[in-house]
Amino acid sequence: MSTLTLSRKADRVRLSPLLRLLILTQLAFNIGFFAVLPFLAEHLGTAVGMAGWAVGFVLGLRTFSQQGLFVVGGALADRYGIRPVVLVGCALRIAGFAWLGHAEQVWAVVGAVLLIGFAAALFSPAVESEVARQAVVWEETGGGSRTRVLALFTVAGQAGAFVGPLIGALLLSVDFRTVCLAGAGIFVLVLAGHAWLLPQHIPGRTRVPIRGGLGPLLRNRRFLALCCAYGAYLLAYNQLYLALPAEVERAAGSQAPLAWLFALSSLLVVTLQLPVTRWVGERLTLRRSMAAGLTTIAAGFAVVAAALPGGWTGTPALVPAAGFVALLTLGQMLVAPAARAWVPDLAEDGRLGLYTGALSSVSGLIVLVGSAASGSLLDSGLPPAVPWLLLAAVPAAAIALLPRKA
């Protein structure tokens, strides 16, 4: 039996029941969510009859009601504990999916989408902050590097994002309402499981008032610097949905290869995240891991930029795109667990939920503004390689923003 297998088994044995529950929670969350989300835009455009701009607006509202309000969910988790926040969030997600499945008017769709997003703004920062806190405990008690726990959390989420669309596509042969009700059913199971298994009080987690936390956070320059660097990473990662489709369309004449490239990304995370994190954890600090990841992401953009002057089309032209996806995904493996592992070192005592939520909210705002700018850049009429070189400069420049101590 290989050392790798033994190490993985040891990790599973050492993880506390609470950590196992929270990691499985992330898997279930993403299965339920991604069973519905990939098919929402098509449903809004065809079944509901919304114009393209309106579809984009609704999807933007969902993102805002989720990422933008993570800081609210995190603060509530600090005040009331994670159990009530997670349970309420799951209940709202069930109601949102059921509503969306029956919504036929624009106002109903908007209400359902806002409810779905706000639900995640409640339960996600609560779960993520507790996973980060438990990972620190796991590290301090000799379990190993905290980034390994957070890498496993990432793998669980990616596995859910891979399985969810497969379930949704299968159920879509019935209708979109069935897809939504299946997503709601998954969250019913999550709600029941957490009502039964999630402790009323978690040892070591104190409850603090909501007031008084935001001021010190806004004065915490090291944390805000981490948020900005993480936001640059997310902006670069979101080019999977903006720059990559445009390049695939240019190269192949259709969007068909996109599904294979997304599958490549998911497969790389599921198979390589833990080995990469284990190797990095033995050699690099959190700052160096993030710097290496941002450099790798910049290299992915540079690969496409270097190939574009050749004007290739067809299958050979998809090779640089595949290289971009591989390097971007490898960069994600280095950046995401390290950033989450860093937050507990920068957060005030008792405010980990607030800081975890703020990391998502601030970086989400950066992505919102940056995506509009990058979309304009891609449509600017500049030589094709130039936008990709400028996008490569974003993660490269973000290295300078990383806090110095870690």
Side-chain angles (χ1 to χ4, degrees):
M1 187 177 293
S2 69
T3 303
L4 181 59
T5 303
L6 284 170
S7 180
R8 285 180 176 173
K9 285 189 175 182
D11 287 351
R12 287 199 295 267
V13 169
R14 293 195 198 105
L15 293 182
S16 67
L18 178 58
L19 262 178
R20 294 181 189 180
L21 173 64
L22 294 175
I23 289 170
L24 288 174
T25 296
Q26 181 70 356
L27 173 66
F29 280 171
N30 278 8
I31 290 175
F33 180 66
F34 284 99
V36 177
L37 181 66
F39 312 104
L40 178 57
E42 177 68 17
H43 171 73
L44 297 180
T46 56
V48 182
M50 296 175 66
W53 69 267
V55 172
F57 178 71
V58 169
L59 295 179
L61 280 178
R62 186 208 63 79
T63 300
F64 172 77
S65 64
Q66 180 170 323
Q67 293 290 124
L69 297 179
F70 259 47
V71 65
V72 175
L76 290 173
D78 289 337
R79 173 63 182 87
Y80 298 106
I82 70 167
R83 178 184 166 89
V85 177
V86 168
L87 296 183
V88 170
C90 288
L92 292 180
R93 176 58 64 86
I94 293 165
F97 276 159
W99 189 4
L100 182 63
H102 290 84
E104 297 180 354
Q105 302 296 322
V106 172
W107 69 266
V109 169
V110 170
V113 165
L114 288 174
L115 193 59
I116 289 168
F118 182 61
L122 291 179
F123 58 63
S124 286
V127 170
E128 290 175 14
S129 64
E130 188 57 33
V131 168
R133 198 181 71 82
Q134 291 292 327
V136 173
V137 173
W138 189 75
E139 180 180 69
E140 291 175 347
T141 55
S145 171
R146 71 183 77 170
T147 55
R148 293 169 71 179
V149 173
L150 293 160
L152 187 57
F153 187 74
T154 298
V155 170
Q158 192 65 52
F162 181 74
V163 172
L166 300 179
I167 295 174
L170 181 64
L171 295 174
L172 197 61
S173 61
V174 181
D175 57 20
F176 183 73
R177 179 174 297 174
T178 301
V179 175
C180 290
L181 294 179
I186 291 171
F187 277 89
V188 168
L189 296 176
V190 174
L191 177 62
H194 283 69
W196 181 33
L197 296 172
L198 200 57
Q200 292 279 358
H201 175 70
I202 299 173
R205 183 160 191 139
T206 58
R207 298 184 183 183
V208 296
I210 292 178
R211 295 181 62 182
L214 191 57
L217 184 152
L218 294 175
R219 293 190 294 271
N220 190 330
R221 294 183 179 181
R222 296 181 66 225
F223 174 71
L224 294 178
L226 177 64
C227 290
C228 291
Y230 191 72
Y233 144 71
L234 279 182
L235 176 60
Y237 187 79
N238 271 20
Q239 299 310 310
L240 280 175
Y241 312 105
L242 188 60
L244 180 64
E247 171 58 17
V248 168
E249 182 73 33
R250 183 205 67 80
S254 77
Q255 299 283 310
L258 268 179
W260 295 101
L261 293 174
F262 288 152
L264 171 64
S265 177
S266 295
L267 182 63
L268 288 173
V269 173
V270 171
T271 57
L272 295 181
Q273 177 71 78
L274 293 179
V276 166
T277 301
R278 186 176 295 110
W279 186 88
V280 168
E282 296 171 354
R283 293 165 176 82
L284 301 179
T285 62
L286 297 177
R287 186 182 192 280
R288 289 181 177 178
S289 178
M290 288 193 67
L294 292 167
T295 301
T296 303
I297 292 170
F301 286 98
V303 165
V304 177
L308 278 171
W312 300 338
T313 58
T315 302
L318 293 174
V319 174
F324 165 72
V325 170
L327 289 170
L328 189 68
T329 305
L330 178 58
Q332 175 198 14
M333 295 182 210
L334 295 169
V335 171
R340 291 189 182 120
W342 206 339
V343 174
D345 293 337
L346 301 175
E348 280 189 289
D349 290 342
R351 303 280 184 186
L352 185 53
L354 174 66
Y355 279 71
T356 299
L359 178 68
S360 293
S361 292
V362 173
S363 56
L365 180 61
I366 291 171
V367 171
L368 181 63
V369 175
S371 291
S374 56
S376 299
L377 182 63
L378 292 167
D379 292 335
S380 63
L382 293 168
V386 173
W388 286 83
L389 286 173
L390 293 175
L391 288 169
V394 172
I399 297 172
L401 297 175
L402 294 170
R404 290 292 171 182
K405 294 180 181 180

